């Protein structure tokens, strides 16, 4: 069962999404928040699998709540941001923070439930090609963040990191490097640990913000 914390200052939106999610046998809404501050309080109270956050809320925005929640590395909570617009700069900042998805409020019920399940399973809800396009477009506006972390990677790990940064899937990386997919997953896990990042999307951000691609 995937537990969800829903945060939106519009009660009609909360009601509609709660009804959508309640129809799925594998999803349960364990909390609702009316603003960003309330969302953070409830996030500390409930150890949820996924937070579904409106990007624009009183007190704290969804991005601010996500940054705070995802900064707690003792939890494995995923975040999906909910909005009425899909401007690239909001999507990119969400990727930098480490969110798992960016969902329009106009999305169909199937898309919303699928997004929750995909996020809970550790997947990012943007295609690799879209992710790479956005990162290439906006990464130059940020200062490099590498503090010598790359030196901790082995040669093979750097090869895998470069492949991830170009948008290749695990299967494509395995074929290109002549290794098993499970080995690719192991390398990615070690890279994430060494660079203190949450997911492969943040690996893409790391690569381009440090001028490596």
């Amino acid at each position: 069962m995937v537990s969800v914390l829903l945060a939106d200052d519009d009660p009609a939106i909360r009601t509609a999404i709660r009804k959508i999610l309640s129809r799925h046998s594998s999803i349960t809404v364990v909390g609702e928040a009316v603003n960003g501050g309330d969302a953070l309080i409830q996030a500390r109270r409930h150890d949820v699998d996924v937070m579904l956050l409106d990007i624009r809320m009183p007190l704290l925005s969804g991005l601010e709540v996500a940054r705070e929640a995802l900064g707690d590395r003792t939890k494995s909570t995923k975040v999906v941001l909910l909005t009425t617009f899909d401007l690239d700069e909001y999507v990119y900042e969400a990727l930098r923070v480490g969110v798992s998805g960016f969902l329009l409020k106009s999305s169909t019920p199937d898309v919303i439930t699928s997004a929750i399940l995909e996020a809970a399973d550790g997947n990012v809800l943007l295609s690799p090609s879209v992710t790479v396009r956005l990162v290439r477009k906006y990464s130059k506006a940020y200062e490099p963040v590498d503090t010598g972390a790359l030196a901790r990677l082995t040669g093979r790990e750097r090869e895998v990191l470069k492949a991830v940064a170009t948008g290749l899937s695990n299967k494509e990386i395995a074929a290109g490097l002549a290794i098993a997919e499970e080995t690719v997953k192991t390398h990615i896990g070690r890279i994430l640990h060494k660079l203190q990042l949450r997911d492969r999307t943040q690996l893409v951000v790391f690569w381009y913000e440090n001028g490596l691609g």
Side-chain angles (χ1 to χ4, degrees):
M1 185 68 73
V2 175
S3 58
V4 176
L5 171 62
L6 172 60
D8 196 301
D9 59 313
D10 187 334
I13 294 292
R14 291 200 311 274
T15 297
I17 293 178
R18 185 179 66 248
K19 287 181 178 178
I20 289 171
L21 298 180
S22 66
R23 297 190 190 110
H24 201 288
S25 60
S26 297
I27 299 174
T28 179
V29 178
V30 298
E32 292 186 34
V34 299
N35 56 54
D38 186 21
L40 267 185
I41 291 172
Q42 294 205 44
R44 297 185 181 113
R45 184 182 306 154
H46 302 290
D47 190 11
V48 297
D49 297 311
V50 180
M51 297 176 70
L52 185 58
L53 308 173
D54 183 13
I55 198 169
R56 285 185 172 175
M57 291 187 289
L59 300 184
L60 293 172
S61 71
L63 275 174
E64 290 171 315
V65 175
R67 187 178 291 110
E68 182 76 19
L70 294 172
D72 183 356
R73 297 189 178 275
T74 65
K75 296 185 177 181
S76 58
T77 301
K78 308 297 183 183
V79 173
V80 175
L81 291 177
L82 193 65
T83 185
T84 54
F85 46 88
D86 59 350
L87 298 178
D88 277 0
E89 56 265 36
Y90 286 100
V91 179
Y92 181 65
E93 187 59 30
L95 295 177
R96 293 190 81 249
V97 168
V99 304
S100 297
F102 202 87
L103 200 59
L104 293 177
K105 292 183 180 180
S106 58
S107 298
T108 64
D110 283 347
V111 168
I112 293 174
T113 54
S114 293
I116 295 296
L117 296 173
E118 286 290 314
D121 201 35
N123 296 319
V124 177
L125 310 176
L126 285 174
S127 70
S129 61
V130 172
T131 300
V132 171
R133 176 181 64 81
L134 289 171
V135 173
R136 282 176 171 165
K137 181 177 179 180
Y138 290 100
S139 61
K140 293 180 178 61
Y142 294 85
E143 292 295 324
V145 295
D146 180 38
T147 57
L150 274 176
R152 296 196 292 272
L153 302 183
T154 66
R156 176 64 87 186
E157 286 168 350
R158 285 193 290 272
E159 287 179 319
V160 172
L161 173 58
K162 181 178 180 180
V164 170
T166 57
L168 297 181
S169 67
N170 287 356
K171 184 176 182 179
E172 290 169 329
I173 295 171
L177 298 178
I179 57 178
E181 280 190 64
E182 284 302 316
T183 304
V184 174
K185 292 179 182 179
T186 298
H187 282 312
I188 291 175
R190 289 173 179 166
I191 295 166
L192 289 170
H193 176 72
K194 289 181 179 181
L195 299 183
Q196 291 295 289
L197 300 174
R198 292 183 68 95
D199 55 44
R200 65 191 300 133
T201 299
Q202 287 197 316
L203 291 179
V204 179
V205 172
F206 175 91
W207 182 266
Y208 286 99
E209 286 193 355
N210 283 285
L212 301 171

